[in-house]
Amino acid sequence: MYEGVVQDLIDELGRFPGVGPKSAQRIAFHLLNSDPADINRLREVLGKVAEGVTFCEVCGTVAEQQRCRICRDERRDATLVCVVEEPKDVLAVERTGEFKGRYHVLGGALDPLSGIGPDQLRMRELLARIGTDEITEVILATDPNTEGEATATYLVRMLRDFPGLTVTRLASGLPMGGDLEFADELTLGRALSGRRAL
Amino acid sequence: MYEGVVQDLIDELGRFPGVGPKSAQRIAFHLLNSDPADINRLREVLGKVAEGVTFCEVCGTVAEQQRCRICRDERRDATLVCVVEEPKDVLAVERTGEFKGRYHVLGGALDPLSGIGPDQLRMRELLARIGTDEITEVILATDPNTEGEATATYLVRMLRDFPGLTVTRLASGLPMGGDLEFADELTLGRALSGRRAL
C-alpha cells in the first residue's frame, strides 16, 4: 500500500510473531522518525544475530562465552540439574530465586508429527553430563502439555537405570492466586492426585 | 537477564511502540531461529530507512520517487486537496475509495505544548500550492481531537481569504455500525448539530 522502502519495512516487521499489519505500520513510522544512530544500533545487533549466537557448550542456553554464567558459577550446586525446553525457561526458573543448581536446555520437546525426535534434542549431551559429572538429581521441568509430558516420560525411561540418580518432575496442581471453581478438570485432577499431608 | 547479544536484541526490540518485554523476547527468539538471509533482508531495509526515506516534493507523503504515485497520476482531480496529518491518513482515505483528488500531508498537528507550531508543519507548502495550482476545494481531514481541531481552525483562518477557494471539514457524527446508547456526549452532540435533511 505504501511506496518503496516503507512498505518493505512494514512487510518485514509484519513477519514478527504477534505483530499484525497495524502494529507493523506503527513500528515502521516510529523507525522512520527515529535517529539513524538508533536504527544502526539495531542493525548491528541483528548482524550479530545473523552471524550466529553462542550457546553454552555445557547446558545449551544462550551465552556470551563458551560457557554461560550459570555453568561458570562455582557456587551453583553441580549435583542438581534442571532440564528445560528453551533458554527462556531457564530465565523463568531463575526468577523464582528457589533453584541453586544448574540447567540443561533440550532445545524443544518431543513432537514426532513435526519431525522432532530424541536426536533433534540435546538428550545425548544430557546423558554425557550424567555419565561424567557428579549429578545426583535431575529435575524434569518441561512444559506441562502433551509434548512436554511425552518428553518427561521419555527422559524418565532413559535415566532410571543410572545408579544413584534421582529423577523428579515439577509438581502439577492449582496455580497460586487461582480459583478452584475455574480450574480445568485436568489441573484439578493433578492437584488431587498430588495432594500433600500437612 | 540474558547474556550478550540476545539481551541487546531484546532491549532494542523493546523500544518499539506497543512491544513489551514479553513480546520483545518472543520476537528475539523468533529471530534467533530465523534464516540469516531473512535477518539480513530486514537489516538491508533498515539501512535504507536510516539513510532517509524520500517524501513527495508536492504532497509530503512517503514516496519512492520525487513525486508520489498519486501526485503523478493525471487522472486524479487536481482541483481537490485533502489535508491530513500523517502519511498513514492518506492510506486511510484511499481505502474508502471515495476520494479522487490529491493530498497534502502536514506532518503532524498543532501542539504548542510539544513545541509544534505552524512552522513545524507543512503549512507554507500548502499555501504555495494553493497560490499556484488550480485548487478550488481544500478538505480538512485532520484528526477529530484537540490538536486536529486546533489545526483545522488555524487552517480555516489562514485560507478563508483566498478568492474562489472552498474550505471544508470532514463530518463528525456517529460511527457507522455504532450504537447510539454508547456514543459519548461530544460525538452525539456533533451528530445532532450536523444533522441532515432527508
Side-chain angles (χ1 to χ4, degrees):
Chain A
M1 295 290 274
Y2 287 97
E3 293 184 31
V5 70
V6 178
Q7 189 59 47
D8 294 344
L9 181 59
I10 293 174
D11 291 343
E12 291 297 331
L13 294 170
R15 276 189 251 281
F16 289 176
V19 176
K22 286 261 170 185
S23 310
Q25 182 180 294
R26 196 145 63 109
I27 297 171
F29 278 98
H30 165 84
L31 287 168
L32 285 184
N33 296 319
S34 291
D35 188 347
D38 288 341
I39 299 176
N40 285 326
R41 214 176 44 242
L42 173 59
R43 287 186 67 214
E44 215 169 286
V45 172
L46 286 169
K48 285 183 193 155
V49 170
E51 280 168 22
V53 168
T54 324
F55 293 92
C56 173
E57 61 176 9
V58 180
C59 74
T61 194
V62 288
E64 212 165 358
Q65 304 175 24
Q66 276 199 313
R67 288 197 177 201
C68 74
R69 252 183 257 143
I70 294 170
C71 287
R72 287 201 312 268
D73 189 345
E74 289 296 331
R75 290 164 304 178
R76 306 286 299 219
D77 186 352
T79 66
L80 197 59
V81 167
C82 180
V83 178
V84 294
E85 293 181 15
E86 303 285 353
K88 51 179 172 267
D89 300 325
V90 171
L91 217 70
V93 177
E94 282 296 286
R95 269 197 298 265
T96 67
E98 299 265 335
F99 184 69
K100 297 295 166 217
R102 291 188 174 156
Y103 293 92
H104 191 83
V105 177
L106 293 173
L110 289 177
D111 186 4
L113 290 179
S114 308
I116 299 175
D119 290 342
Q120 277 70 50
L121 303 175
R122 298 182 67 257
M123 290 198 173
R124 212 186 304 268
E125 288 86 343
L126 179 62
L127 280 182
R129 280 180 78 178
I130 293 169
T132 56
D133 291 4
E134 69 265 65
I135 297 165
T136 58
E137 182 178 351
V138 170
I139 303 172
L140 301 177
T142 50
D143 287 340
N145 55 23
T146 316
E147 291 81 17
E149 290 290 333
T151 311
T153 308
Y154 184 92
L155 284 171
V156 166
R157 245 181 263 158
M158 191 171 94
L159 299 176
R160 68 178 157 201
D161 296 333
F162 275 89
L165 182 72
T166 314
V167 181
T168 56
R169 175 95 175 101
L170 287 190
S172 281
L174 298 174
M176 296 302 292
D179 199 322
L180 198 130
E181 186 189 357
F182 301 124
D184 62 288
E185 300 86 335
L186 204 61
T187 303
L188 193 51
R190 288 294 178 93
L192 261 176
S193 64
R195 67 191 180 278
R196 295 181 306 158
L198 296 175
Chain B
M1 294 291 273
Y2 287 97
E3 293 183 32
V5 70
V6 179
Q7 189 60 47
D8 293 344
L9 181 59
I10 293 173
D11 291 345
E12 292 296 333
L13 294 170
R15 275 188 250 282
F16 289 176
V19 176
K22 287 260 170 185
S23 310
Q25 182 181 293
R26 196 144 64 108
I27 297 171
F29 278 99
H30 165 83
L31 287 168
L32 285 184
N33 296 322
S34 291
D35 188 347
D38 288 340
I39 300 176
N40 285 325
R41 212 175 47 240
L42 173 59
R43 288 186 66 214
E44 215 169 286
V45 172
L46 286 170
K48 285 184 193 154
V49 170
E51 279 169 24
V53 167
T54 323
F55 293 92
C56 174
E57 61 177 9
V58 179
C59 74
T61 195
V62 287
E64 213 165 356
Q65 304 175 23
Q66 276 198 312
R67 290 199 177 201
C68 74
R69 252 183 257 144
I70 295 170
C71 286
R72 286 201 312 268
D73 189 345
E74 289 295 331
R75 290 164 304 176
R76 305 287 299 217
D77 185 352
T79 67
L80 196 57
V81 168
C82 180
V83 177
V84 295
E85 294 181 14
E86 303 284 354
K88 52 181 171 265
D89 300 326
V90 171
L91 218 69
V93 177
E94 283 295 289
R95 269 197 298 264
T96 66
E98 300 266 335
F99 184 68
K100 297 294 166 217
R102 291 187 175 158
Y103 292 92
H104 191 84
V105 178
L106 292 172
L110 290 176
D111 187 3
L113 291 178
S114 308
I116 298 175
D119 290 342
Q120 276 70 50
L121 303 176
R122 298 183 66 255
M123 290 196 172
R124 211 186 305 267
E125 288 86 344
L126 179 61
L127 279 182
R129 280 179 77 177
I130 294 169
T132 56
D133 291 5
E134 67 266 61
I135 297 165
T136 56
E137 181 178 352
V138 170
I139 302 172
L140 302 177
T142 52
D143 287 340
N145 55 23
T146 317
E147 292 82 16
E149 290 289 333
T151 310
T153 308
Y154 184 92
L155 284 171
V156 167
R157 246 182 261 158
M158 192 172 94
L159 299 176
R160 69 177 156 201
D161 296 333
F162 276 88
L165 182 73
T166 313
V167 181
T168 56
R169 177 95 175 101
L170 288 189
S172 282
L174 297 174
M176 295 305 290
D179 199 323
L180 198 131
E181 185 188 357
F182 300 124
D184 62 289
E185 301 85 336
L186 206 61
T187 302
L188 193 50
R190 288 294 178 94
L192 261 176
S193 64
R195 68 191 179 279
R196 295 180 305 159
L198 297 175

